Short mmCIF file of all heavy atoms in Angstrom, two decimals:
data_model
loop_
_atom_site.label_atom_id
_atom_site.label_comp_id
_atom_site.label_asym_id
_atom_site.label_seq_id
_atom_site.Cartn_x
_atom_site.Cartn_y
_atom_site.Cartn_z
N GLN A 196 20.10 54.35 -3.24
CA GLN A 196 19.56 55.53 -3.91
C GLN A 196 20.70 56.36 -4.53
O GLN A 196 20.59 56.85 -5.66
CB GLN A 196 18.76 56.37 -2.92
CG GLN A 196 18.00 57.52 -3.55
CD GLN A 196 17.00 57.08 -4.62
OE1 GLN A 196 16.27 56.11 -4.42
NE2 GLN A 196 17.02 57.76 -5.77
N HIS A 197 21.83 56.49 -3.80
CA HIS A 197 22.97 57.21 -4.36
C HIS A 197 23.46 56.55 -5.63
O HIS A 197 23.79 57.21 -6.62
CB HIS A 197 24.12 57.27 -3.33
CG HIS A 197 23.87 58.26 -2.25
ND1 HIS A 197 23.85 57.95 -0.92
CD2 HIS A 197 23.61 59.59 -2.32
CE1 HIS A 197 23.57 59.01 -0.21
NE2 HIS A 197 23.43 60.04 -1.03
N LEU A 198 23.52 55.23 -5.60
CA LEU A 198 23.97 54.50 -6.79
C LEU A 198 22.99 54.70 -7.95
O LEU A 198 23.41 54.88 -9.10
CB LEU A 198 24.12 53.01 -6.47
CG LEU A 198 25.30 52.69 -5.54
CD1 LEU A 198 25.20 51.27 -5.01
CD2 LEU A 198 26.62 52.89 -6.29
N ARG A 199 21.72 54.72 -7.63
CA ARG A 199 20.71 54.97 -8.68
C ARG A 199 20.93 56.33 -9.30
O ARG A 199 20.84 56.50 -10.52
CB ARG A 199 19.31 54.94 -8.08
CG ARG A 199 18.89 53.61 -7.59
CD ARG A 199 17.55 53.68 -6.90
NE ARG A 199 16.44 53.89 -7.82
CZ ARG A 199 15.18 53.68 -7.51
NH1 ARG A 199 14.85 53.27 -6.30
NH2 ARG A 199 14.24 53.88 -8.38
N ASP A 200 21.22 57.33 -8.45
CA ASP A 200 21.43 58.68 -8.96
C ASP A 200 22.66 58.75 -9.86
O ASP A 200 22.69 59.48 -10.84
CB ASP A 200 21.58 59.67 -7.79
CG ASP A 200 20.28 59.79 -7.00
OD1 ASP A 200 19.23 59.38 -7.52
OD2 ASP A 200 20.33 60.28 -5.84
N GLU A 201 23.68 57.97 -9.51
CA GLU A 201 24.92 57.98 -10.30
C GLU A 201 24.78 57.22 -11.62
O GLU A 201 25.57 57.42 -12.53
CB GLU A 201 26.07 57.34 -9.49
CG GLU A 201 26.60 58.24 -8.39
CD GLU A 201 27.50 57.49 -7.42
OE1 GLU A 201 28.01 56.41 -7.78
OE2 GLU A 201 27.66 57.98 -6.29
N HIS A 202 23.81 56.31 -11.68
CA HIS A 202 23.65 55.46 -12.89
C HIS A 202 22.19 55.50 -13.35
O HIS A 202 21.51 54.48 -13.38
CB HIS A 202 24.07 54.01 -12.58
CG HIS A 202 25.47 53.89 -12.07
ND1 HIS A 202 26.57 53.74 -12.89
CD2 HIS A 202 25.96 53.93 -10.80
CE1 HIS A 202 27.67 53.68 -12.17
NE2 HIS A 202 27.32 53.80 -10.88
N PRO A 203 21.71 56.70 -13.73
CA PRO A 203 20.27 56.82 -14.02
C PRO A 203 19.83 56.03 -15.25
O PRO A 203 18.63 55.81 -15.44
CB PRO A 203 20.09 58.33 -14.24
CG PRO A 203 21.44 58.85 -14.55
CD PRO A 203 22.44 57.96 -13.89
N ASP A 204 20.78 55.60 -16.07
CA ASP A 204 20.42 54.86 -17.28
C ASP A 204 20.16 53.37 -17.01
O ASP A 204 19.74 52.65 -17.91
CB ASP A 204 21.54 54.99 -18.32
CG ASP A 204 22.89 54.55 -17.76
OD1 ASP A 204 23.19 54.86 -16.58
OD2 ASP A 204 23.64 53.88 -18.49
N LEU A 205 20.44 52.91 -15.80
CA LEU A 205 20.30 51.47 -15.51
C LEU A 205 19.01 51.16 -14.78
O LEU A 205 18.50 51.98 -14.00
CB LEU A 205 21.48 50.99 -14.66
CG LEU A 205 22.87 51.08 -15.31
CD1 LEU A 205 23.94 50.60 -14.33
CD2 LEU A 205 22.92 50.26 -16.60
N GLN A 206 18.51 49.95 -14.98
CA GLN A 206 17.38 49.46 -14.17
C GLN A 206 17.91 49.16 -12.76
O GLN A 206 19.09 48.86 -12.59
CB GLN A 206 16.86 48.15 -14.71
CG GLN A 206 16.47 48.13 -16.15
CD GLN A 206 15.85 46.77 -16.46
OE1 GLN A 206 14.67 46.57 -16.26
NE2 GLN A 206 16.65 45.85 -16.95
N VAL A 207 17.02 49.20 -11.78
CA VAL A 207 17.44 48.86 -10.41
C VAL A 207 16.46 47.87 -9.80
O VAL A 207 15.26 47.89 -10.09
CB VAL A 207 17.54 50.12 -9.51
CG1 VAL A 207 18.74 50.96 -9.90
CG2 VAL A 207 16.27 50.93 -9.53
N SER A 208 17.01 47.04 -8.92
CA SER A 208 16.18 46.04 -8.25
C SER A 208 16.66 45.85 -6.82
O SER A 208 17.84 45.59 -6.59
CB SER A 208 16.27 44.69 -8.98
OG SER A 208 15.61 43.70 -8.23
N GLN A 209 15.76 46.03 -5.86
CA GLN A 209 16.19 45.91 -4.48
C GLN A 209 15.23 45.11 -3.59
O GLN A 209 15.67 44.44 -2.66
CB GLN A 209 16.38 47.30 -3.88
CG GLN A 209 17.12 47.27 -2.56
CD GLN A 209 17.47 48.65 -2.09
OE1 GLN A 209 16.79 49.61 -2.42
NE2 GLN A 209 18.53 48.76 -1.31
N ALA A 210 13.91 45.18 -3.85
CA ALA A 210 12.95 44.71 -2.86
C ALA A 210 12.74 43.21 -2.87
O ALA A 210 12.32 42.64 -3.87
CB ALA A 210 11.62 45.41 -3.09
N ASN A 211 13.02 42.55 -1.74
CA ASN A 211 12.62 41.15 -1.53
C ASN A 211 11.17 41.14 -1.04
O ASN A 211 10.52 42.18 -0.96
CB ASN A 211 13.58 40.48 -0.54
CG ASN A 211 13.68 41.26 0.78
OD1 ASN A 211 13.03 42.29 0.95
ND2 ASN A 211 14.49 40.78 1.68
#
Side-chain angles (χ1 to χ4, degrees):
Q196 188 59 44
H197 284 123
L198 290 167
R199 293 175 72 163
D200 294 344
E201 285 167 20
H202 303 272
D204 55 320
L205 296 179
Q206 305 186 86
V207 288
S208 172
Q209 193 172 27
N211 55 1

